Amino acid sequence: MSGWIFLSKGGEDEYINMLAASAKMQPVDSDYFDYHYDIKVDRNQLVLRGILKHKIMKQCLEDGNNFYYMDSGYVGNNLGNLNSQGIKKYHRIVLNDLQHRVIRPRPSDRWDLLGITPHPRRSGYKIIVAAPDEKPCKYYGIDQQKWIADTVAEIKKHTDRPVEVRERAAKRADRVLNQPLSQVLAQDVHALVTFNSVAAVESILAGVPAFVMSPSHVAEPVANRDLSKMDHPFYPDRDLLMAWCHSMAYGQYHVRELKNGAAFRMMQEL
């Protein structure tokens, strides 16, 4: 037997349920999920959402079983001309990983629909450290406060620039409405450093170089990893930047695409 399992927490995960319905299948309540029989024996492909399901994902990787990971989209969810309230409209779906890490040649059509124009390269002075929240820390087995302290200390070995730590607000409304990152990036910022946060995506699109430190990050092809390069960071040229944007737009889906079957079809074409 081989098919699909759409893992829905308590059977109430609205986005997983949308995707399952579009595939004409019923979601599986996570309370009744049995990895051994559902995945190892029946060889079903798994769709799940949320980084706290890390034990299941790691087991799939260890056993060589596919999973499709769903989480918030990379772009299009913040306040903008096409999203006046900062509603979470886009969701990424990634095969056997947390984020897409490779630029794949794609047309510009899906990116164009987002109405986002990357800002030209900015020059600034200070450094922003966008701290990870507790969920990815659990996945990667790191201590949040230790990561912040170690990262700031490493940065200061290589530059005299001031460093500001920005911790993620717990409530989405606070992140979107109260001094959003877009405002901060426009205020004399030289670079942004983060672990796995999509703040790096926002930084690059705002014209500010980014450093990403997690093993899996969508910005990896256009960002930095070596903090010793802090004073002279890499920033992509226009061709590379737009190729990355086009590829990224093909890895995320609007809510209506979760409902109408487009996301289910396209995620299998990646």
Side-chain angles (χ1 to χ4, degrees):
M1 178 179 179
S2 180
W4 292 86
I5 287 185
F6 297 83
L7 198 59
S8 178
K9 184 177 181 180
E12 297 180 351
D13 188 314
E14 61 176 319
Y15 302 116
I16 288 288
N17 293 355
M18 286 177 193
L19 191 64
S22 79
K24 297 179 171 53
M25 298 188 67
Q26 292 293 321
V28 173
D29 187 331
S30 54
D31 291 339
Y32 298 101
F33 172 70
D34 187 309
Y35 178 86
H36 177 76
Y37 288 105
D38 292 333
I39 304 300
K40 294 192 74 171
V41 175
D42 290 342
R43 307 299 294 178
N44 289 302
Q45 296 197 82
L46 180 64
V47 183
L48 46 75
R49 189 171 79 91
I51 199 168
L52 291 183
K53 295 182 177 66
H54 56 90
K55 291 182 180 179
I56 298 173
M57 291 186 278
K58 289 174 180 176
Q59 191 65 55
C60 284
L61 291 172
E62 183 177 320
D63 294 342
N65 295 314
N66 284 342
F67 66 89
Y68 289 82
Y69 174 73
M70 183 190 294
D71 209 326
S72 299
Y74 304 117
V75 289
N77 290 331
N78 293 330
L79 287 170
N81 293 334
L82 299 181
N83 193 350
S84 60
Q85 297 181 335
I87 296 170
K88 189 182 288 189
K89 295 182 176 182
Y90 288 91
H91 301 264
R92 69 183 186 264
I93 302 178
V94 191
L95 175 62
N96 297 333
D97 210 339
L98 300 183
Q99 299 188 31
H100 298 88
R101 291 190 282 171
V102 177
I103 294 176
R104 299 183 184 278
R106 294 292 184 266
S108 66
D109 55 339
R110 292 181 65 82
W111 177 259
D112 294 339
L113 291 172
L114 292 164
I116 299 172
T117 301
H119 195 282
R121 172 77 155 85
R122 297 181 193 264
S123 296
Y125 187 57
K126 64 186 176 184
I127 298 162
I128 301 295
V129 173
D133 66 20
E134 290 295 341
K135 291 180 181 180
C137 289
K138 287 181 180 179
Y139 181 90
Y140 286 107
I142 63 173
D143 179 88
Q144 181 197 50
Q145 293 305 311
K146 185 177 187 301
W147 182 87
I148 293 171
D150 290 350
T151 300
V152 171
E154 185 64 24
I155 292 170
K156 290 185 174 180
K157 290 179 183 178
H158 306 293
T159 185
D160 295 326
R161 296 173 184 272
V163 179
E164 295 182 9
V165 175
R166 179 181 170 92
E167 297 202 31
R168 187 173 184 263
K171 295 182 178 179
R172 176 171 172 77
D174 291 333
R175 298 196 298 271
V176 171
L177 300 174
N178 300 326
Q179 199 181 25
L181 182 60
S182 58
Q183 292 182 7
V184 175
L185 291 168
Q187 299 170 5
D188 195 32
V189 177
H190 170 72
L192 177 139
V193 181
T194 191
F195 186 69
N196 75 312
S197 172
V198 294
V201 173
E202 193 168 350
S203 180
I204 292 165
L205 293 176
V208 176
F211 289 75
V212 296
M213 312 309 292
S214 72
S216 174
H217 204 295
V218 69
E220 184 174 341
V222 290
N224 302 263
R225 284 197 177 275
D226 185 354
L227 292 175
S228 71
K229 308 296 185 184
M230 180 56 70
D231 275 336
H232 304 284
F234 163 76
Y235 187 79
D237 62 28
R238 181 73 179 178
D239 288 345
L240 178 59
L241 178 62
M242 295 315 299
W244 172 67
C245 289
H246 300 165
S247 178
M248 184 165 53
Y250 265 80
Q252 64 171 34
Y253 309 94
H254 194 280
V255 169
R256 64 174 173 268
E257 294 176 309
L258 299 181
K259 295 178 180 179
N260 67 19
F264 183 62
R265 172 181 56 79
M266 293 178 64
M267 75 183 203
Q268 298 175 69
E269 297 171 353
L270 293 176

